[in-house]
Amino acid sequence: MNGVNGGLRQSMAWLHTWAGLLVGWLLLAIFATGTSAYFQDEITRWMQPEITGVRQPTRAAEGAVTWLTAHQPDADSWSIALPGQRAIASTVYWRQAGEDRSAARDNTLTLDGNGQPVVSRPTLGGAFLYRMHFDLHYMPVIWARWVVGFCAMFMLVAIVSGVITHKKIFADFFTLRFGKGQRSWLDAHNLSAVLALPFHLMITFTGLVTLQSLYMPWGVAAAYPNKAAYFADAFGSESPPVRSGEPAPMASLGGMIAQARKVWGGAQPGFIDIALPGDRHGVVRLFRSGGDAMDAREKTLLFDAATGHMHPLPAAKGGASATESTMVGLHAGRYAPYALRWLYFLCSLAGTLMVATGLVLWTAKRRLQLPDPDRPHLGFVLVERLNIATVAGLPLAFACHFLANRLLPVRMDDRATWEVHAFFIGWGAALLIACVQRPRRAWLAVLMLGAAAFAALPVVDELTTERGLLPSLARGDGVFVGFDLTMLALAAALGTAAWKLYRRPAGARRKHAAIAAGADA
Amino acid sequence: MIALPLVASVLGFALLCLGMSRHQRDLFGRSLPAGRTRAAKAAGWLLVTVAYAGSLLAEGAALGAVYGVGVLTFGAAVVALTVTGLSRSR
């Protein structure tokens, strides 16, 4: 019996090691960006320091319609993206007859909480890190989603095989021993994995569920003649209205929102689409905000724009659909109030650390077995350098992204794009350092650069805006204070890591190795 | 109010930790008598159960079920990091 168990454990350990390593670096980026996305609205607010005030979705929607009526009365469609649960700004888009959807990228305007146009630095805000989490960047999103799904599937394999491999889940439940080389990395990996295990399982599985119709299209293919029929059934789309040519002023949007909120149990709309505004046949479509309930999938209601009459309610969703919607909501956590949001953030941070410590553990374990530690084989060099570039390099990338938001000229062309480039320039710099320096010096250099960049953020914020740490503290502005303090905490964490590494004598590893070799002999 | 379940979770995991001989040796330099160990374990399990049940009561079944998991992870993490710090300073 023991032999069978030992055999199973060993094969699971092998599976865990290689499934984890193969996708580890990309997984770390997915985990880190996903963790930050729990504060997507706050990041957006910090990246748009010009926008102040409070969130008033109904007022913003009415302000948007007023502005659009005055400035874009002949457009074929208007869209209003209302602020998320903890955001302030809204964005309006419009499209003229004959323009395709991509035109909306240029036909856009940002409104403040009162629905008044506001000029703010062009930025993607927290949306870049959020989209990076599943769409990556510099590649078609469908490819990216396949790659991310592949990583998530390997993650699920790594979690299950890791649980089987872990010999002493309960005995080691609270154990974290410092200063013991490989043993310490294993402790840290186990602790970050086991303590947040329910979260890790939930987040990986529901992550796959969010894109299940992409990964497993056969159910839809078997039940529907084509994709359009599926979407019509799933999202209740009606055929687009035809222009009557007869002008008709729009009924009160606030009234339609009030009706919708009654149907949705108080939930706000998150997105509004108005087809043929100003025409007698115009149709208003309200999409429920994802932040007001745990089942996150969009619910839509249609209204006649001219009369404000609601179309018949769409058919209630089936059990499978409601389950899927709740799983997606559980994953994104848009519904979560602040206390729960911080718990999400901490669990997700534990997941990020789990991946990072797992990657470092791979090298810590194998360094002892190298025949000549000064001339490791190619595989070891590759893993060690990629570890430096991602584990230490990703934080640097985040810091560069935020620094670019404050330091690039406000009126620069393609400013938002360059903020994103800054993320990858920082990451690329870390990779370059990792390739040209000896590992120990590369770890130190990238960690210290990251610490310095995060520490610089509150300073730069103080110097370039009127919403630095001290004035925000005086104003009681939790979002700005929280952001700057989080940056300082990250600087402290990276600085501590660099300090520990610096204090550790260069020969320590070799001494460990010699002791281990002696013990084996 | 989610503060009470959070406190119960931290205390519960602290007692469970005190019920383990490895941590008893790390913290006190010796193992505790079997009777006390059993009592710490029983009280620990009770408080951890109270923490999850309290989350359900405080936030309702749907939200509370999610809160409960976060509350347990939080409590265990606080205890693990505290014990690590205390063991090192001895």
Side-chain angles (χ1 to χ4, degrees), chain A residues 189-209:
Chain A
H189 184 57
N190 285 343
L191 203 67
S192 53
V194 171
L195 296 191
L197 188 61
F199 175 85
H200 299 331
L201 276 171
M202 176 281 280
I203 211 71
T204 311
F205 186 76
T206 55
L208 284 163
V209 168

Side-chain angles (χ1 to χ4, degrees), chain A residues 442-462:
Chain A
W443 274 114
L444 269 176
V446 181
L447 285 172
M448 285 194 303
L449 273 175
F454 275 119
L457 270 165
V459 181
V460 171
D461 188 29
E462 183 80 40

Side-chain angles (χ1 to χ4, degrees), chain B residues 75-88:
Chain B
V78 167
V79 170
L81 295 178
T82 311
V83 168
T84 304
L86 288 177
S87 310
R88 264 159 71 82

Side-chain angles (χ1 to χ4, degrees), chain B:
Chain B
M1 200 46 200
I2 205 65
L4 288 176
L6 278 174
V7 172
S9 171
V10 172
L11 289 179
F13 279 110
L15 285 166
L16 284 176
C17 184
L18 285 178
M20 295 167 76
S21 60
R22 174 194 290 168
H23 298 296
Q24 293 170 355
R25 283 196 303 274
D26 281 350
L27 293 168
F28 311 119
R30 61 186 171 87
S31 295
L32 297 182
R36 285 214 201 160
T37 299
R38 262 200 309 275
K41 273 187 182 158
W45 277 113
L46 183 71
L47 276 175
V48 166
T49 314
V50 165
Y52 197 85
S55 305
L56 292 178
L57 283 178
E59 301 289 341
L63 210 51
V66 188
Y67 258 110
V69 172
V71 160
L72 294 189
T73 295
F74 177 82
V78 167
V79 170
L81 295 178
T82 311
V83 168
T84 304
L86 288 177
S87 310
R88 264 159 71 82
S89 62
R90 270 183 65 88

Side-chain angles (χ1 to χ4, degrees), chain A residues 140-161:
Chain A
V141 297
I142 295 300
W143 292 16
R145 289 174 186 189
W146 274 106
V147 171
V148 170
F150 183 82
C151 291
M153 202 62 225
F154 268 59
M155 171 83 193
L156 201 56
V157 168
I159 290 178
V160 174
S161 57

Side-chain angles (χ1 to χ4, degrees), chain A residues 222-492:
Chain A
Y224 294 94
N226 54 45
K227 273 260 165 79
Y230 160 69
F231 281 114
D233 197 17
F235 303 106
S237 41
E238 291 182 9
S239 46
V242 181
R243 195 179 278 280
S244 70
E246 191 185 335
M250 199 170 133
S252 152
L253 184 58
M256 296 178 220
I257 292 176
Q259 282 187 68
R261 293 191 66 182
K262 227 177 263 168
V263 175
W264 290 331
Q268 292 273 6
F271 197 86
I272 299 173
D273 214 23
I274 302 163
L276 306 182
D279 189 87
R280 167 118 0 240
H281 287 172
V283 171
V284 177
R285 181 191 290 266
L286 301 187
F287 297 77
R288 193 188 60 166
S289 149
D292 285 306
M294 212 186 271
D295 60 325
R297 284 292 192 214
E298 283 154 353
K299 291 189 168 151
T300 61
L301 289 175
L302 295 170
F303 295 83
D304 278 331
T307 60
H309 281 312
M310 191 164 72
H311 292 199
L313 288 178
K317 297 258 170 84
S321 168
T323 307
E324 191 254 10
S325 175
T326 305
M327 284 188 174
V328 174
L330 208 52
H331 185 91
R334 290 199 185 86
Y335 68 92
Y338 261 114
L340 187 56
R341 184 162 298 278
W342 277 103
L343 291 174
Y344 259 106
F345 180 77
L346 290 178
C347 287
S348 192
L349 201 58
T352 311
L353 291 174
M354 167 181 74
V355 178
T357 51
L359 283 169
V360 175
L361 180 60
W362 193 94
T363 54
K365 209 168 183 170
R366 276 156 193 80
R367 179 171 289 112
L368 304 182
Q369 294 151 6
L370 288 173
D372 178 2
D374 285 325
R375 301 177 66 186
H377 55 84
L378 183 65
F380 187 90
V381 173
L382 184 72
V383 172
E384 187 169 48
R385 306 286 161 137
L386 283 173
N387 279 359
I388 300 170
T390 45
V391 175
L394 263 175
L396 178 63
F398 274 80
C400 288
H401 179 56
F402 295 144
L403 277 174
N405 174 264
R406 286 296 190 262
L407 293 178
L408 292 179
V410 171
R411 292 183 189 287
M412 174 182 176
D413 284 345
D414 292 330
R415 187 180 193 284
T417 314
W418 277 98
E419 282 181 13
V420 173
H421 291 331
F423 182 93
F424 293 98
I425 291 170
W427 202 359
L431 180 63
L432 190 69
I433 294 173
C435 288
V436 299
Q437 291 279 357
R438 290 182 66 85
R440 183 185 147 86
R441 294 195 52 176
W443 274 114
L444 269 176
V446 181
L447 285 172
M448 285 194 303
L449 273 175
F454 275 119
L457 270 165
V459 181
V460 171
D461 188 29
E462 183 80 40
L463 293 177
T464 58
T465 72
E466 274 136 40
R467 303 182 71 182
L469 186 51
L470 297 177
S472 295
L473 208 54
R475 226 177 278 134
D477 183 343
V479 169
F480 273 66
V481 170
F483 190 99
D484 281 4
L485 289 182
T486 306
M487 296 305 111
L488 288 177
L490 287 169

